[in-house]
């Protein structure tokens, strides 16, 4: 029976679905993947704070290499024993034949300073502030206290001073950091625009080629800005251009490799490696002998540290001591490129196994856009 206007029974109405509650909205808005990424960002942030404060909060000289020359071998050995027994082991002294040998070792970056004993009451301390002003200052303070305790004074001679436009010798460090930032940002842009993982070896090779071109351009521009434009570094452009190209490509290749292994999370891993761990251990503000053991150990093996040491060597020391750091950066570049290509080959095989068309991403492939 159809109800009429006089029928007391209400007409059947369509009920609206229940409105979602606040926690339902939260679950819809914040997916598990997003929550995990936020947790990862939090970990990076706390790691950044911990790493920088841990490296810089209490710089102390530890086993700083220093040459010792004296009028006689016996006097040199006695001074070596005295300096080596200082509390806290701030110095790692070694005896050399004469003042000329001591100065040569400073210029060759074999030692960070040299104490030349004389027959008078005043000795000479040879330093190279271009290796880092904080290091030469710390070395001066330690040696001056030791000499004063012996009733002697010391004259400080800066064999390799900083250029007038290179305040405290930090220009090389900041130049290297800028190159590193460009490297992982370029690789990150490639991931965001075309997918974190290249779909096949051709795409991987294209990304590496784009990165190499970018590295050459930004390496040149960075060297020109630091040199002729701002007159902050005295070295010629070609040497710094080569270093910048290698460094930018190395950091970018590392980022591409980590993206190939871990998808978009690889960008965060690259930041962890280069920024969180690499920058504070690079020996920029505080050279290696002033850093705590952990940062002192990892710094030379990471691109920012190797790049900073090489930049200072190329800029102020005629390339002395640059070979090892350059090989470190080259190893990172080669390793990153190889891993990137291997991941691209494996990606293509996964596509073929899953039946995806050539050159496209397989279904469920870490959010990689088709054609990446």
């Amino acid at each position: 029976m159809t109800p009429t206007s006089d029928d007391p029974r209400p007409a059947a109405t369509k009920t609206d679905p229940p409105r979602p509650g606040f926690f339902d909205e939260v679950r819809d808005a914040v997916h598990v993947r997003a929550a995990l990424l936020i947790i990862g960002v939090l970990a990076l942030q706390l790691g950044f704070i911990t790493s920088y404060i841990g490296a810089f909060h209490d710089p102390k000289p530890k086993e700083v290499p220093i040459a010792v020359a004296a009028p006689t071998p016996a006097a040199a050995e006695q001074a070596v024993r005295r300096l080596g027994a200082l509390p806290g082991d701030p110095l790692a002294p070694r005896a050399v034949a004469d003042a000329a040998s001591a100065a040569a070792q400073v210029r060759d970056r074999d030692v960070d300073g040299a104490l030349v004993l004389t027959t008078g009451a005043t000795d000479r301390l040879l330093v190279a502030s271009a290796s880092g002003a904080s290091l030469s200052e710390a070395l001066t303070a330690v040696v001056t206290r030791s000499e004063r305790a012996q009733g002697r004074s010391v004259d400080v001679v800066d064999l390799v001073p900083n250029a007038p436009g290179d305040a405290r010798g930090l220009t090389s460090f900041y130049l290297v950091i800028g190159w590193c930032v460009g490297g992982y940002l370029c690789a990150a842009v490639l991931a965001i625009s075309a997918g974190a993982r290249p779909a096949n070896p051709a795409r991987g090779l294209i990304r590496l080629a784009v990165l190499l071109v970018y590295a050459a351009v930004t390496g040149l521009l960075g060297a020109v800005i630091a040199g002729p434009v701002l007159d902050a570094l005295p070295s010629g452009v070609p040497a710094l251009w080569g270093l910048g190209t290698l460094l930018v490509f190395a950091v970018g290749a590392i980022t591409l490799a980590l993206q190939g292994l871990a998808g978009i999370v690889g960008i965060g891993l690259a930041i962890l490696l280069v920024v969180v761990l690499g920058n504070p251990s690079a020996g920029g503000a505080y050279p290696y002998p002033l850093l705590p053991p952990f940062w002192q150990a990892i710094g030379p093996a990471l691109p920012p540290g190797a790049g900073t040491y090489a930049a200072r060597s190329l800029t102020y020391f005629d390339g002395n001591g640059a070979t090892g750091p350059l090989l470190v950066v080259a190893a990172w570049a080669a390793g990153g490129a190889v891993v990137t290509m291997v991941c691209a080959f494996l990606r293509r095989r996964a596509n073929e196994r899953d039946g995806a068309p050539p050159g496209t991403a397989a279904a469920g492939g870490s959010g990689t856009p088709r054609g990446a």
Side-chain angles (χ1 to χ4, degrees), residues 20 105 202 208:
Q105 289 204 11
L208 289 172

Side-chain angles (χ1 to χ4, degrees), residues 113-202:
L115 178 61
V116 179
L117 303 178
T118 68
T119 56
T122 301
D123 298 324
R124 283 183 293 143
L125 175 63
L126 312 180
V127 299
S129 60
S131 293
S134 57
L135 177 58
S136 61
E137 290 169 358
L139 185 60
T140 299
V142 171
V143 172
T144 299
R145 285 196 299 269
S146 175
E147 289 284 281
R148 188 180 297 121
Q150 300 297 313
R152 302 179 65 82
S153 60
V154 61
D155 285 338
V156 179
V157 180
D158 194 348
L159 294 180
V160 190
N162 291 311
D166 185 12
R168 299 189 63 79
L170 292 175
T171 299
S172 297
F173 170 62
Y174 288 127
L175 176 61
V176 165
I177 295 306
W179 277 331
C180 290
V181 169
Y184 69 72
L185 285 181
C186 179
V189 167
L190 291 173
I192 294 170
S193 63
R197 295 183 172 104
N200 56 53

